[in-house]
Amino acid sequence: MPLPPPDLRLSPRTGWTRAHWEAMADRLLDAVVPYATDGFAQYRLPGSPSRSGPVSDGLEGFARTFLLAAFRIAGAGGDVPPALLERYAEGLAAGTDPAHPCAWPPLTDMSQPLVEAASIALALHETRPWLYDRLAPAVRERVLAWLAGFLGRRTPDNNWVLFQVVVEQFLAEAGGPYEPAEIAAGLERIEDWYTGDGWYSDGKGKNYDYYTGWALHLYPSLWARMSGDTARQERYAARLRLFLERYQHFFAAGGGPVHQGRSLVYRFATVAPLWLGELTGASPLPPGRTRRIASGVLRHFAERGAPDERGLLTRGWYAPFPPGTQDYSGPASPYWASKAFLGLLLPPDHPAWTAPEEAAPIDLADQVVPVAPAGWLLHATRADGVVRLLNHGSDRDRVQRRDGEPDPLYLRLAYTSHTGPDFAPGAADNQLAVVSPEGVPSRRRRIEPLAVGERVAASAYQDGDVRVVTTSVVDGPAEIRVHQVTAPAGHLVRDGGHALADRLPPGTHTEGVHAVARRPDGLTSAARGLHGFTSAGVVTGDGVNAFSPCSATPYVTCPAHPGGTAVYVSLILLTAAPGEPPLPEVRVTADEVVVTPSTGEPVRVPLREEPGGQEAVGLSDGLGAGEDVEGS
């Protein structure tokens, strides 16, 4: 894909400037044109349909690319190729014409078109002087009538309530019908899901993922921008500021976001809240850092095949990956990535575009960042640019795959910027499994968050007569896991490291209780038994992994649990730096485990129901359990 030359004076770390963002937007918009239906009412991209069917999927193609076009048009003050304006004006006219063969489906309860209506409303708001206001009066009336189909509609009790908020706000400003009570109800509903420190759960429960940023912060802030409600705007800005203080740590030095949660086909939409902070004046980051992180993410995907050789975004992370795609995702779903281009609404002379790039925290030093509401502990290392997320809270506990397996995108012990979970049934990666003599492994479904602190996090899970309480201690690029396992005698206990993926088979090595998988580029995954484990190994083969078709996972095991409660300690490593770090000291007594990391002071883990609690290591309280809901 042709791009402007890098500007290493303005952007010494990525080389990317506003011109690169505009070129990428233009490439994405041009590439979908061959898939437009008559009158540009729908964009039916290649691929199998979603559960909503091809007509809804075609509307999705229009709405999500229209959002991208809107940022491009408004950011240029309407000074874009006339064909771009004409395409979407024609599509608005055709899509809202009931007599047209590709007319949009109506807005009905709980239906996918409700989601797409929000993108259309936001795009109409941002481009109003160049598009909506220039439509023929009859077309404007049809657009308002179609959007007004949202009034009184039922939505899932999650981020979808915000789609109604922005649609009815546009109706209000354009003179269409709307219900102020429905706008207020949606805004009040998210107050129930705000859990502090800038974080929202996506509905009731422990539903933490990128929807916090690209939905639950994005839509209320854009609504406030539309409505002029300064009181709510200030509330949302204060929360966004808190959120971004931690969120900036989710991105590797090379631009890869931590691979966790659903809808990862949206890829670089992960940077939308960074630009939102600049757009609303809420960002705690220097503007040059915002651009450094955001451009790093967009460049990261562009260099790895997203968009592909056709200029299309596929359903996957880099290449297509059906196992990681939700059934609501159609061929055009990845174009929610359009939210990444929110920064184009900033004028070209805004400091986020003109200030020299500034280093991200990971560029300067190792980082350990607790995210208490989600039960997460992030640790990032400067030497290799890797970010790791230790998961002791988020579980979406009511959701499981069709094969009955726990969702690998939520329920593993750890996620990283450089690896993705193995989706194969019974996969070992980042799971403490207790396997019965009949070969049935325990499943970490409902996570009980216990505590999160500066270097330590803890949680538990119960599966039948098996209970596991895990405390994680950060040690540079390594995680030390202390497991209290309660189970009948004779069960096998297995702890898995990170699933390493590459297009070439990784190198593997096992010696005693130490197992290593190493990629040709030097990325190394290792698992080592420090107490209780007696052997190690590496699972290799054709894994089911978003990063490549090949997978290798190191693990440690104890083949015969003694019965009752026993302690197991492992070291889990993922690093791209040469060599392995020094080993920590581990001392196990009847009452506690004392872990002395190679990089810090000793951590005392009491052997009780709440290991690593406030009294021992100064951790904050965990979060209560809750139910989960499916989203968009």
Side-chain angles (χ1 to χ4, degrees):
M1 168 183 162
L3 288 171
D7 184 341
L8 296 177
R9 179 195 60 81
L10 183 62
S11 302
R13 294 188 177 271
T14 71
W16 280 40
T17 64
R18 184 184 176 100
H20 291 80
W21 283 81
E22 292 172 341
M24 178 67 83
D26 292 343
R27 172 60 173 146
L28 290 169
L29 290 167
D30 290 344
V32 300
V33 173
Y35 305 96
T37 62
D38 181 42
F40 297 99
Q42 300 178 28
Y43 290 85
R44 296 193 178 183
L45 303 183
S48 58
S50 74
R51 68 187 182 195
S52 300
V55 175
S56 175
D57 292 346
L59 166 63
E60 187 171 64
F62 176 91
R64 299 189 180 197
T65 60
F66 184 28
L67 189 63
L68 175 58
F71 296 152
R72 184 72 176 95
I73 292 164
D79 186 17
V80 295
L84 183 61
L85 288 162
E86 291 166 4
R87 278 207 309 267
Y88 285 96
E90 188 174 345
L92 289 164
T96 58
D97 181 356
H100 195 280
C102 294
W104 299 340
L107 301 179
T108 58
D109 289 344
M110 310 290 281
S111 66
Q112 186 66 31
L114 298 175
V115 182
E116 310 320 317
S119 292
I120 292 171
L122 286 173
L124 288 169
H125 170 80
E126 295 298 341
T127 61
R128 186 167 177 177
W130 308 284
L131 265 174
Y132 180 80
D133 288 349
R134 297 185 181 183
L135 295 174
V139 175
R140 290 202 301 268
E141 289 177 9
R142 294 204 307 266
V143 169
L144 293 183
W146 185 81
L147 290 172
F150 215 138
L151 273 68
R153 294 301 175 199
R154 290 188 302 112
T155 71
D157 194 28
N158 60 10
N159 68 89
W160 282 44
V161 303
L162 296 172
F163 304 149
Q164 188 167 41
V165 167
V166 297
V167 168
E168 295 200 29
Q169 185 58 45
F170 177 76
L171 288 167
E173 70 183 46
Y178 71 102
E179 290 290 343
E182 292 186 347
I183 296 175
L187 296 173
E188 285 304 312
R189 189 71 186 104
I190 68 169
E191 297 301 315
D192 297 332
W193 306 329
Y194 182 68
T195 54
D197 289 342
W199 285 82
Y200 294 90
S201 171
D202 186 13
K204 183 181 178 182
K206 303 188 295 294
N207 310 318
Y208 295 98
D209 53 25
Y210 286 113
Y211 276 83
T212 296
W214 66 35
L216 291 155
H217 276 292
L218 186 74
Y219 291 105
S221 293
L222 293 182
W223 169 83
R225 187 168 180 263
M226 294 168 72
S227 68
D229 187 323
T230 56
R232 287 190 185 268
Q233 192 170 43
E234 290 173 3
R235 179 193 304 173
Y236 301 144
R239 291 176 180 176
L240 181 59
R241 175 176 290 272
L242 287 172
F243 174 75
L244 292 175
E245 286 174 356
R246 292 165 178 79
Y247 188 68
Q248 63 179 312
H249 298 281
F250 275 71
F251 304 95
V258 170
H259 190 87
Q260 180 272 342
R262 65 194 173 92
S263 298
L264 293 176
V265 298
Y266 305 157
R267 297 178 176 94
F268 34 85
T270 49
V271 307
L274 297 169
W275 290 122
L276 183 67
E278 298 292 344
L279 188 66
T280 61
S283 181
L285 281 59
R289 182 185 297 172
T290 295
R291 191 176 78 256
R292 179 265 178 273
I293 298 173
S295 292
V297 173
L298 188 60
R299 189 186 72 169
H300 175 86
F301 283 103
E303 292 176 345
R304 289 163 177 79
D308 66 10
E309 68 281 355
R310 301 166 296 176
L312 299 179
L313 295 175
T314 58
R315 285 174 285 188
W317 190 239
Y318 303 134
F321 183 60
T325 301
Q326 288 68 42
D327 63 359
Y328 56 75
S329 296
S333 291
Y335 287 82
W336 242 26
S338 298
K339 296 178 179 184
F341 294 84
L342 189 69
L344 293 180
L345 292 180
L346 299 168
D349 60 355
H350 190 281
W353 292 119
T354 61
E357 281 185 347
E358 292 193 34
I362 194 173
D363 298 325
L364 303 174
D366 291 0
Q367 307 289 329
V368 182
V369 181
V371 183
W376 288 341
L377 188 61
L378 291 165
H379 63 118
T381 39
R382 179 177 178 270
D384 55 17
V386 177
V387 182
R388 308 153 193 87
L389 183 157
L390 310 185
N391 176 31
H392 290 273
S394 181
D395 61 13
R396 288 181 59 80
D397 52 41
R398 285 178 49 199
V399 178
Q400 63 185 39
R401 294 175 3 192
R402 296 184 189 89
D403 59 10
E405 288 286 311
D407 191 331
L409 293 170
Y410 288 93
L411 290 160
R412 301 292 165 85
L413 281 163
Y415 298 90
T416 85
S417 57
H418 284 56
T419 65
D422 192 338
F423 279 65
D429 74 280
N430 285 301
Q431 299 195 81
L432 191 286
V434 183
V435 185
S436 72
E438 295 76 29
V440 179
S442 62
R443 291 170 171 173
R444 187 186 193 225
R445 284 200 193 283
R446 295 202 171 191
I447 300 172
E448 303 171 29
L450 298 178
V452 179
E454 293 303 318
R455 289 186 297 150
V456 188
S459 64
Y461 78 88
Q462 182 94 28
D463 187 8
D465 55 4
V466 171
R467 182 167 179 80
V468 177
V469 182
T470 299
T471 300
S472 296
V473 181
V474 169
D475 186 10
E479 171 196 1
I480 299 119
R481 295 175 183 166
V482 178
H483 304 288
Q484 292 175 252
V485 176
T486 303
H491 283 48
L492 177 145
V493 179
R494 182 193 69 201
D495 195 9
H498 301 279
L500 205 61
D502 202 329
R503 301 185 189 283
L504 299 174
T508 62
H509 172 72
T510 303
E511 181 177 349
V513 290
H514 185 206
V516 179
R518 183 171 289 109
R519 222 165 58 178
D521 64 0
L523 186 66
T524 299
S525 176
R528 184 189 291 268
L530 301 178
H531 179 84
F533 295 106
T534 58
S535 61
V538 180
V539 179
T540 61
D542 295 330
V544 185
N545 194 295
F547 282 68
S548 85
C550 182
S551 184
T553 304
Y555 65 89
V556 289
T557 65
C558 172
H561 180 72
T565 300
V567 175
Y568 300 87
V569 185
S570 61
L571 182 146
I572 304 299
L573 173 70
L574 182 76
T575 184
E580 292 195 25
L583 293 177
E585 293 183 13
V586 175
R587 181 170 57 88
V588 181
T589 70
D591 300 318
E592 66 180 5
V593 177
V594 181
V595 178
T596 304
S598 62
T599 57
E601 297 299 314
V603 175
R604 311 179 82 87
V605 181
L607 298 180
R608 58 186 186 187
E609 180 60 18
E610 294 186 5
Q614 291 183 2
E615 181 180 339
V617 292
L619 304 186
S620 61
D621 287 336
L623 302 173
E627 294 185 354
D628 198 5
V629 292
E630 186 59 67
S632 68

